[in-house]
Amino acid sequence: MAARVAGRRCFGVTMVVALVGALMAAACTGQAPPAEPPPSSASPTGPAERVPSGGSVAGLAGWLYYYSYPELYRLTPAGLELVLRAPHATVSPDGLQIAYVDDAGELIVTDRDGGQARSVLSDVIGLGFEPSWSADSRWLLVARSLAGGSESPVFGRVDVASGEFTPLRSQIEGIHPLWSADGRRMGYATGTCELMVADADGSNQRMVPVIGNPDPAVNPQRWASCDPYSISPDGSMMAIARRVLDQPMGDIGRDLAANVVIDTRTGAEVPLPVPGQIWAALFLPDGGVLVRSTNDGGATVTLTLLDNDLTVTAQVPEPAAAGANPCGQSAFACGLLAYTPN
């Protein structure tokens, strides 16, 4: 895992656009009215289907999803279950839908088992701009390509039911955009491995202090991150893959790992009451956090569920199946992608 984290590099935004533009064949047309922040209280519009009772692990009520490009897995009591093979896949917060961007730039949405696939939007960029679900599972934050990729990407939200695309009121310049766990805020990384936060419509953009700042007086430990992983509902905390500024950073593919949670107002680390080394911290719509960590030199993997005040509500060992083949011998060959009620 350390080699994977250390081996990534973020490009400038214009370089990202040039790279993905070569993969995109068509240009999007038309400009919709500015986007409003997606409501977090509306009823989900995902397909009605029978969902098995129970969950992935005894002691946790929900289902765990893992990803090893391009394969999406769901952990069941019987072990890892391959759901589908799809690049840049994401699971909706209600667990009833999966979205991904195919090699032709089509945004595809399926049911929880990878069936009933339908194209929702064309000219969507996947690499470096993975789709992000709103808290109510009705919208996706995406980036589209204009003029065959020669222009900066256009960020916006798409209505999963209708396919209507609405550009953000204020466009951003960055990679790996994420909505916060309640969908009212967003965060992203710059091409120089700094972090930004903004309102859900892109307005009120501000830089997270310290992280990525090249000034040694401000950032003496030279912390940087190209990889926001998850954002708390109020936007005050962000789980990130933090590394040293002058480390090689690899390509712009997402890294499904977070070794620290930071306060976005100060850039300082937020301590979490979990054992050992943190490898993932998923903020949930209800304000809770699911943390994946190791101790005993990595021999034991623990899943800890925290309440919105960061107190422990449940703690269970992660089944060995989550790190077994087909994900490989490493316990982290499959990254933790989602934890959902369905």
Side-chain angles (χ1 to χ4, degrees):
M1 180 61 183
R4 244 183 15 150
V5 170
R8 297 174 47 79
R9 177 168 58 90
C10 289
F11 295 97
V13 172
T14 54
M15 295 178 68
V16 172
V17 174
L19 174 62
V20 299
L23 302 176
M24 306 296 294
C28 59
T29 59
Q31 292 289 325
E36 297 295 332
S40 60
S41 59
S43 298
T45 57
E49 59 180 296
R50 180 179 298 176
V51 178
S53 59
S56 294
V57 183
L60 294 178
W63 295 92
L64 296 162
Y65 289 84
Y66 296 83
Y67 191 74
S68 179
Y69 186 92
E71 297 174 335
L72 173 66
Y73 295 91
R74 180 167 50 235
L75 183 63
T76 73
L80 282 177
E81 171 185 86
L82 177 63
V83 179
L84 81 166
R85 293 179 175 87
H88 322 298
T90 57
V91 180
S92 63
D94 63 9
L96 298 179
Q97 301 176 90
I98 298 166
Y100 64 92
V101 181
D102 70 14
D103 293 338
E106 295 291 316
L107 177 64
I108 307 297
V109 173
T110 76
D111 63 25
R112 76 184 295 270
D113 295 315
Q116 303 181 41
R118 58 189 178 90
S119 177
V120 174
L121 190 68
S122 299
D123 307 317
V124 177
I125 309 172
L127 181 63
F129 305 91
E130 303 80 13
S132 174
W133 286 95
S134 63
D136 57 20
S137 303
R138 296 179 58 206
W139 308 88
L140 282 162
L141 174 64
V142 299
R144 300 187 78 185
S145 174
L146 289 174
S150 62
E151 304 289 340
S152 296
V154 175
F155 294 88
R157 66 174 189 172
V158 58
D159 185 318
V160 173
S162 69
E164 180 181 1
F165 176 76
T166 307
L168 296 181
R169 175 177 293 150
S170 299
Q171 289 295 304
I172 64 174
E173 293 185 6
I175 56 176
H176 305 306
L178 292 172
W179 268 327
S180 61
D182 68 355
R184 295 188 180 276
R185 293 163 183 83
M186 67 184 302
Y188 53 96
T190 71
T192 55
C193 295
E194 295 173 294
L195 297 170
M196 302 287 294
V197 291
D199 292 345
D201 63 0
S203 61
N204 296 319
Q205 300 172 21
R206 66 174 179 85
M207 187 168 290
V208 176
V210 180
I211 305 297
N213 192 318
D215 185 349
V218 176
N219 184 13
Q221 294 174 299
R222 299 185 59 76
W223 293 129
S225 180
C226 291
D227 296 289
Y229 176 76
S230 181
I231 306 171
S232 67
D234 64 0
S236 67
M237 292 182 287
M238 184 185 295
I240 64 172
R242 189 178 67 177
R243 49 184 66 87
V244 177
L245 189 62
D246 51 3
Q247 279 183 305
M249 296 293 183
D251 58 36
I252 64 167
R254 65 179 173 182
D255 194 352
L256 290 176
N259 56 8
V260 68
V261 171
I262 62 166
D263 187 322
T264 61
R265 297 161 296 190
T266 65
E269 181 175 348
V270 177
L272 300 179
V274 299
Q277 171 66 52
I278 295 170
W279 294 103
L282 278 173
F283 287 98
L284 308 174
D286 65 1
V289 194
L290 181 68
V291 183
R292 190 187 197 196
S293 64
T294 59
N295 52 14
D296 301 328
T300 303
V301 184
T302 302
L303 298 171
T304 304
L305 190 62
L306 306 178
D307 207 345
N308 55 13
D309 62 356
L310 300 184
T311 58
V312 176
T313 61
Q315 194 168 80
V316 300
E318 181 182 75
N325 286 327
C327 291
Q329 298 304 313
S330 167
F332 299 99
C334 274
L336 179 61
L337 179 66
Y339 174 65
T340 72
N342 297 302

